[in-house]
């Protein structure tokens, strides 16, 4: 599903990306923006807080800075969205939601939904900044689709860039979900996506348990000669076959 979401085929109007400093999601936002701009779409990036040195990420967008003037966000977007099929991207809503009610964000998204020129809204929320599960939960209901980035663990971190759980609300009210791992190419584009139940993932997950001696700094394995010597060793508490027969005869007698 991740591939579809980043290429706009699976969400109706709006997409929320939930990330953290441990697993940042701006790489996915960049992939989506690159795809939009490459298709001739006008992308508006609405800065609700300082950029924190990420200027290059949105070089191919038209920037609208409303930091400190958040009440003017709808008017400024409407003014900048002067052509059809515009996409609006909020690089971060975390600080905004720390200081404003979710109802204010709902009002903004609703106004954009009613605009004839805005066709897509994408937003990023940092979960480790906005540590309020109730607020995060209410925000999810405002968006047609959600990508939740989770930390990578174990062997998977050597092969994949990230782990996501995706949710998409269909027009008929049904929910579609997925649990996937993805990697990126050198230019930051989405390279490969594998479901958590795929053979590729299971092979990496199962590999450590296949032979735990592979990662030890000392050797627990026996060579063929060592194994043969071990099998031929007569331990003191094991009786020979003749002794066993004699003992058995005495017992039965």
């Amino acid at each position: 599903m991740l591939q579809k979401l980043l290429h706009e085929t699976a969400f109706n109007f709006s997409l929320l990306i939930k990330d953290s400093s441990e697993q940042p999601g701006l790489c996915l936002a960049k992939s989506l923006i690159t795809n939009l701009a490459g298709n001739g779409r006008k992308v508006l990036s609405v800065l609700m807080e300082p950029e924190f040195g990420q200027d290059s990420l949105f070089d191919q967008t038209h920037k609208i800075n409303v930091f400190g003037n958040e009440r003017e966000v709808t008017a400024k977007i409407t003014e900048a969205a002067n052509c059809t099929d515009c996409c609006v991207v909020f690089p971060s809503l975390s600080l905004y939601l720390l200081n404003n009610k979710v109802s204010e964000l709902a009002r903004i998204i609703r106004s954009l939904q009613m605009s004839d020129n805005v066709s897509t809204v994408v937003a990023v929320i940092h979960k480790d900044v906005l540590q309020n599960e109730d607020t995060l939960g209410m925000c999810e209901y405002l968006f047609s689709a959600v990508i939740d980035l989770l930390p990578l663990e174990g062997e998977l971190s050597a092969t994949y860039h990230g782990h996501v759980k995706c949710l998409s609300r269909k027009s008929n009210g049904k929910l579609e979900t997925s649990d996937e791992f993805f990697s990126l190419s050198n230019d930051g584009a989405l390279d490969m996506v594998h479901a958590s139940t795929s053979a590729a993932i299971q092979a990496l997950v199962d590999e450590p348990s296949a032979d735990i001696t592979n990662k030890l700094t000392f050797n627990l394995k026996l060579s063929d000669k060592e194994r043969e010597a071990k099998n031929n060793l007569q331990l003191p508490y094991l009786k020979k076959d003749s002794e066993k027969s004699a003992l058995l005869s005495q017992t039965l007698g």
Side-chain angles (χ1 to χ4, degrees):
M1 185 192 297
L2 180 63
Q3 183 77 35
K4 294 180 181 180
L5 291 180
L6 294 186
H7 290 83
E8 292 189 283
T9 60
F11 67 95
N12 182 32
F13 175 74
S14 54
L15 170 66
L16 173 63
I17 299 174
K18 297 164 55 182
D19 74 348
S20 64
S21 56
E22 182 180 4
Q23 191 61 54
L26 287 178
C27 58
L28 298 181
K30 180 180 180 181
S31 180
L32 178 56
I33 291 171
T34 300
N35 179 64
L36 292 168
N39 290 331
R41 301 279 295 280
K42 182 175 183 178
V43 182
L44 310 177
S45 56
V46 185
L47 308 180
M48 309 282 275
E49 57 190 60
E51 293 183 85
F52 299 114
Q54 303 198 0
D55 301 357
S56 60
L57 181 61
F58 301 100
D59 282 347
Q60 50 191 330
T61 70
H62 179 84
K63 296 181 182 179
I64 305 172
N65 195 334
V66 294
F67 178 59
N69 299 288
E70 290 85 353
R71 298 292 178 183
E72 302 177 10
V73 58
T74 302
K76 288 195 173 186
I77 293 176
T78 301
E79 180 183 356
N82 52 13
C83 62
T84 58
D85 213 20
C86 287
C87 175
V88 177
V89 178
F90 294 94
S92 176
L93 289 173
S94 310
L95 294 183
Y96 173 80
L97 289 168
L98 283 175
N99 298 288
N100 296 273
K101 296 180 179 179
V102 178
S103 58
E104 290 297 317
L105 176 61
R107 181 183 58 81
I108 294 172
I109 293 181
R110 176 59 178 167
S111 64
L112 297 178
Q113 194 173 23
M114 296 175 63
S115 172
D116 294 332
N117 292 342
V118 177
S119 61
T120 304
V121 173
V122 179
V124 178
I125 293 180
H126 310 308
K127 295 180 290 185
D128 48 354
V129 175
L130 184 65
Q131 298 181 3
N132 187 314
E133 293 297 330
D134 291 337
T135 300
L136 287 170
M138 288 187 287
C139 287
E140 290 187 17
Y141 281 103
L142 302 179
F143 294 83
S144 308
V146 179
I147 297 175
D148 189 6
L149 282 100
L150 306 173
L152 279 171
E153 299 177 354
E155 299 294 320
L156 296 171
S157 60
T159 304
Y160 296 93
H161 182 87
H163 176 200
V164 296
K165 287 191 176 182
C166 303
L167 179 149
S168 180
R169 294 182 177 86
K170 301 299 183 181
S171 56
N172 59 6
K174 292 184 178 180
L175 298 180
E176 182 181 355
T177 61
S178 70
D179 187 346
E180 300 169 306
F181 294 83
F182 69 92
S183 63
L184 302 172
S185 61
N186 292 332
D187 59 358
L190 201 62
D191 186 27
M192 64 178 180
V193 180
H194 291 147
S196 60
T197 55
S198 67
I201 299 297
Q202 294 304 312
L204 289 174
V205 171
D206 295 340
E207 183 181 359
S209 61
D211 189 351
I212 62 173
T213 64
N214 286 336
K215 296 184 179 181
L216 296 177
T217 56
F218 51 88
N219 184 26
L220 285 182
K221 296 181 178 179
L222 298 176
S223 66
D224 292 340
K225 289 184 177 180
E226 290 170 333
R227 187 175 293 105
E228 182 179 358
K230 170 181 174 292
N231 293 335
N232 292 333
L233 180 64
Q234 184 68 47
L235 296 178
Y237 57 85
L238 291 180
K239 295 182 178 295
K240 297 180 180 180
D241 291 341
S242 58
E243 293 175 331
K244 290 180 182 179
S245 299
L247 180 63
L248 183 59
S249 299
Q250 293 175 6
T251 304
L252 293 177

